[in-house]
Amino acid sequence: MDDPLVIAGETFTSRLIMGTGGLPSLEVLDAILDAARVELATVAIRRIDPTAGGSILDVLNRHGVQALPNTAGCYTARDAVRHAQLAREALQTNWIKLEVIADEHTLLPDPVELVDAAEQLVDDGFVVLAYTNDDPVLAARLERVGCAAVMPLGAPIGSGLGIRNPHNIELIVERAGVPVVLDAGIGTASDAAFAMELGCDAVLVASAVTRAQKPALMAEAMRKAVEAGRLAARAGRIPKRRYALASSPTEGMPEYSGRLGS
């Protein structure tokens, strides 16, 4: 564990976080977790009953995966705060992935309601991981109000469009003093690797895995892509050049005199 992910003082060896939205069955989740080897997975508080047997929580517990409740489906700060409080009571955790959606068509975050909810939850003692637009100014604002991590989208939820604005993601990473988790829009493993190469600290995937033709195989691909992208970011890519640059040095090479064999 020489390169762990640390959020709010808690350490994770995996930089891949799994979302459970769109799961076709608990058996598929079981196979996904085997392949992904994650330590953190989001669950929608609206869709779980912690008292019921045979639930998503049972599968997560069996794999030693920490449940991260989210406020999916909330459209106002008031609704999001209420769901976070319900999650804390039901799951005995003060961690929350905060989502406040503007409308059903885009599923994009509502920045005004998001900041309002983040302030209230931080003041109430929550560890807030905020799902946000790819807006460096908004991400900085969320950090200032006390969010433990910011989670900019790569593209709209479930679109699989990849990272539409890598420049903004880089700006968010450059300015952030808290972990940056790329969330939403991931379509395949190369998107996850790219996010890590841009300097993100982790990647959250859901639909790209749960709705893949072979979910467990895609989960394995995502795990390896995140690892490869992190290694590449630490190694440092070469600068992009407009023209070619010979990979072999030309200095010290013997010069042809024109009299070989004479």
Side-chain angles (χ1 to χ4, degrees):
M1 193 200 304
D2 64 341
D3 185 34
L5 169 66
V6 180
I7 302 176
E10 191 160 341
T11 300
F12 303 92
T13 57
S14 173
R15 290 178 178 271
L16 178 64
I17 301 171
M18 186 61 60
T20 55
L23 275 173
S25 70
L26 295 182
E27 288 73 20
V28 170
L29 175 60
D30 199 59
I32 287 173
L33 294 179
D34 270 339
R37 302 177 193 172
V38 297
E39 297 166 284
L40 197 59
T42 60
V43 293
I45 192 64
R46 289 174 181 272
R47 294 196 293 265
I48 60 172
D49 178 359
T51 63
S55 68
I56 287 176
L57 295 177
D58 288 334
V59 180
L60 296 183
N61 288 335
R62 192 161 60 247
H63 286 267
V65 175
Q66 178 178 327
L68 173 62
N70 67 31
T71 59
C74 292
Y75 291 84
T76 65
R78 181 178 180 180
D79 199 19
V81 168
R82 185 170 65 87
H83 277 78
Q85 291 168 340
L86 288 172
R88 179 164 61 183
E89 183 177 340
L91 302 181
Q92 299 297 302
T93 177
N94 62 345
W95 283 48
I96 192 75
K97 181 194 168 190
L98 176 61
E99 296 183 28
V100 188
I101 302 302
D103 60 67
E104 292 183 355
H105 179 63
T106 65
L107 297 181
L108 293 173
D110 182 319
V112 176
E113 296 292 320
L114 177 65
V115 172
D116 185 8
E119 287 178 318
Q120 293 184 52
L121 291 170
V122 169
D123 287 345
D124 196 20
F126 280 90
V127 174
V128 179
L129 291 73
Y131 169 60
T132 178
N133 294 295
D134 56 357
D135 179 347
V137 176
L138 179 57
R141 177 72 183 273
L142 290 165
E143 181 179 344
R144 283 200 299 274
V145 304
C147 290
V150 291
M151 308 180 72
L153 56 82
I157 291 172
S159 67
L161 290 171
I163 300 173
R164 307 305 292 173
N165 197 336
H167 179 63
N168 273 20
I169 298 298
E170 284 184 311
L171 291 176
I172 292 171
V173 169
E174 285 176 8
R175 299 180 62 180
V178 296
V180 177
V181 182
L182 197 288
D183 186 6
I186 296 290
T188 189
S190 57
D191 298 331
F194 186 36
M196 298 303 291
E197 290 170 3
L198 291 174
C200 292
D201 297 280
V203 171
L204 188 149
V205 294
S207 300
V209 169
T210 60
R211 292 174 175 149
Q213 294 180 24
K214 297 180 179 179
L217 196 57
M218 184 60 83
E220 181 181 355
M222 291 294 181
R223 171 172 57 83
K224 293 178 176 177
V226 166
E227 292 172 355
R230 179 66 178 177
L231 288 174
R234 295 177 67 188
R237 64 158 298 138
I238 63 170
K240 294 181 180 178
R241 299 176 59 89
R242 187 171 182 180
Y243 299 106
L245 175 67
S247 56
S248 299
T250 55
E251 295 180 0
M253 292 184 65
E255 296 183 4
Y256 174 53
S257 65
R259 293 184 297 173
L260 288 176
S262 62

